[in-house]
Amino acid sequence: MKELIEFMVKALVDDPTAVDISEVAGDRFTIYQCRVAKEDIGKVIGKRGRTATAIRTIINAVSTKQGKRAELEIIE
Amino acid sequence: MTKIKRSGTSVEAVIAAFRKEYQVQDWELSYEVVKKPRAGFLGLFASKTAVVSFDLPEVENRVKLFLQLLLQKMGVNFEKIDARREGKIVYLDIAGVSEPGFLIGKNGSMLDTLQYFINRVFDSDRRLSIIYLDSEGYREKKDQYFLRRFTSRIQETRESGKPLTLDPMHSSQRRVIHQYVKRQKGLRTLTVGDGDKKRIIVFPTKLSEQEVLDQTGTKKIKFSGKAPRKAAPQNKQFTGKKDYSPRKDKDKSGYRKPKYYPNRRPPKRGDHGRRTED
């Protein structure tokens, strides 16, 4: 799961080395915190948050298939 | 596939420079070291240049590789992906999917999401304009089904000679109709309206655009091609003469007209034209 998020975010940004994903496991769902370079935040969020919504949709679909729940947080 | 040779002081520096130049991500990097810089023995036989040969795949293959890796990481099993490029448009078709319901999603929502995401990833590539994603002809079938609702009405316009205005539609649905009418002889389309109220008008080629707009009582807002450009302002020639024309902000007696402030209170005696706080 983390690998998938990292792959998707790294593909979007200009500076893949600054991408950092950390996993916070909870009893009901796992939160993935995503940090990127300041210039790249707009690219991950997208116009009206559409790119972020697309990433979340993919994550939700994949995690439900595995019987888990996952959430993505983009941290500035 | 093209091969590019680059040289520099060290292998790492060459790779970093190449990746920056062609925006190559680490999963699609493929190279071969031709010559390594050697320290040599006591300065003998030392060479300071590194030569690296890179493989640069075609655009459609880059997109294909990205989609392959993305689907693998998503846990979708598939047989193959067909990539086809027409000018600046890339068509991808995912075939032999084990769980087509998951990949396509409700009403094709997953396919839409993936398509949107891939388009954002390859946004910066000027060689591409748009990437279309499909799975075993699902999109095509859906488009055909959608089009079937309109074909008889479109064909009727040919006989009646009257323009047909359709309901406001989404851009992808309009595209389907535009492409269908393009293949029909003697018929043309026109887009009218603004924002999410854009409509298609189908009309016979006998009529001119203006006639159609007059008949339907609509205004053309979206341009079919490039919007006409405004003429560049002509530079004023310097003639050496002073401009003696009267100033526009002054009337004949030389009195400057006061600016109009709608919310300003009218002046009172004792103001002397100054505005005071009250």
Side-chain angles (χ1 to χ4, degrees), chain B residues 225-258:
Chain B
K226 224 177 171 182
R229 264 181 81 174
K230 248 187 178 173
Q234 295 284 319
N235 278 336
K236 256 190 187 171
Q237 287 285 315
F238 181 70
T239 50
K241 275 183 195 166
K242 218 179 167 185
D243 187 13
Y244 288 112
S245 58
R247 275 181 66 167
K248 272 169 195 158
D249 55 343
K250 282 182 182 173
D251 66 4
K252 268 182 194 166
S253 61
Y255 172 73
R256 198 160 170 186
K257 281 182 209 158

Side-chain angles (χ1 to χ4, degrees), chain B residues 4 21 64 106 115 221 235-236 242 248 265 270:
Chain B
I4 293 171
E21 191 181 336
K64 188 178 156 183
K106 209 182 238 178
Q115 180 178 300
I221 290 175
N235 278 336
K236 256 190 187 171
K242 218 179 167 185
K248 272 169 195 158
R265 65 164 173 79

Side-chain angles (χ1 to χ4, degrees), chain B residues 5-276:
Chain B
K5 262 191 188 178
R6 284 291 149 92
S7 56
T9 47
S10 76
V11 176
E12 289 79 31
V14 178
I15 292 173
F18 175 79
R19 279 182 60 174
K20 204 165 186 189
E21 191 181 336
Y22 288 96
Q23 292 177 332
V24 173
Q25 303 276 17
D26 42 1
W27 63 82
E28 51 188 5
L29 185 69
S30 122
Y31 61 91
E32 208 179 328
V33 178
V34 179
K35 202 171 143 199
K36 267 189 193 171
R38 282 178 301 180
F41 178 68
L42 291 172
L44 290 168
F45 314 113
S47 72
K48 275 187 178 167
T49 51
V51 181
V52 185
S53 141
F54 295 96
D55 293 336
L56 197 70
E58 301 289 325
V59 193
E60 61 264 40
N61 288 333
R62 278 183 69 182
V63 182
K64 188 178 156 183
L65 181 67
F66 176 78
L67 182 65
Q68 265 173 1
L69 287 166
L70 181 66
L71 291 179
Q72 266 170 27
K73 288 193 164 67
M74 281 173 69
V76 177
N77 296 316
F78 57 94
E79 270 169 29
K80 59 169 183 159
I81 296 173
D82 289 325
R84 191 161 49 89
R85 183 174 162 198
E86 281 173 19
K88 288 180 113 185
I89 305 167
V90 172
Y91 296 92
L92 292 171
D93 194 278
I94 310 160
V97 187
S98 55
E99 298 164 88
F102 173 75
L103 180 71
I104 291 165
K106 209 182 238 178
N107 245 327
S109 62
M110 196 63 187
L111 218 50
D112 285 338
T113 306
L114 284 171
Q115 180 178 300
Y116 180 80
F117 181 74
I118 290 183
N119 274 295
R120 291 293 78 72
V121 171
F122 291 94
D123 245 357
S124 55
D125 203 326
R126 292 265 160 259
R127 288 169 295 177
L128 293 178
S129 60
I130 192 160
I131 302 160
Y132 287 111
L133 203 60
D134 202 349
S135 176
E136 287 167 8
Y138 169 81
R139 277 270 175 79
E140 216 181 302
K141 264 181 228 156
K142 204 179 155 193
D143 288 347
Q144 290 300 325
Y145 186 75
F146 170 78
L147 193 63
R148 222 179 293 158
R149 285 157 46 191
F150 298 99
T151 41
S152 61
R153 282 167 73 195
I154 290 169
Q155 293 301 337
E156 268 172 33
T157 54
R158 207 196 295 261
E159 284 144 34
S160 66
K162 278 181 193 163
L164 165 74
T165 313
L166 300 173
D167 291 335
M169 274 182 258
H170 195 257
S171 65
S172 59
Q173 296 176 326
R174 284 202 311 274
R175 192 177 81 94
V176 175
I177 292 183
H178 277 306
Q179 284 190 334
Y180 170 74
V181 177
K182 220 177 180 181
R183 277 180 269 133
Q184 306 300 312
K185 264 187 187 167
L187 289 177
R188 274 183 64 199
T189 50
L190 195 64
T191 310
V192 293
D194 205 2
D196 50 2
K197 289 205 174 128
K198 289 199 188 87
R199 292 159 176 267
I200 284 184
I201 300 179
V202 183
F203 60 97
T205 20
K206 285 180 287 186
L207 297 171
S208 74
E209 281 187 14
Q210 200 52 49
E211 277 172 353
V212 174
L213 293 176
D214 291 343
Q215 276 186 37
T216 49
T218 44
K219 232 175 163 181
K220 187 185 173 191
I221 290 175
K222 205 185 165 214
F223 294 101
S224 52
K226 224 177 171 182
R229 264 181 81 174
K230 248 187 178 173
Q234 295 284 319
N235 278 336
K236 256 190 187 171
Q237 287 285 315
F238 181 70
T239 50
K241 275 183 195 166
K242 218 179 167 185
D243 187 13
Y244 288 112
S245 58
R247 275 181 66 167
K248 272 169 195 158
D249 55 343
K250 282 182 182 173
D251 66 4
K252 268 182 194 166
S253 61
Y255 172 73
R256 198 160 170 186
K257 281 182 209 158
K259 261 189 183 169
Y260 173 64
Y261 294 102
N263 293 328
R264 200 174 201 177
R265 65 164 173 79
K268 283 178 194 163
R269 281 179 89 187
D271 265 4
H272 301 293
R274 285 192 296 268
R275 185 167 163 77
T276 49

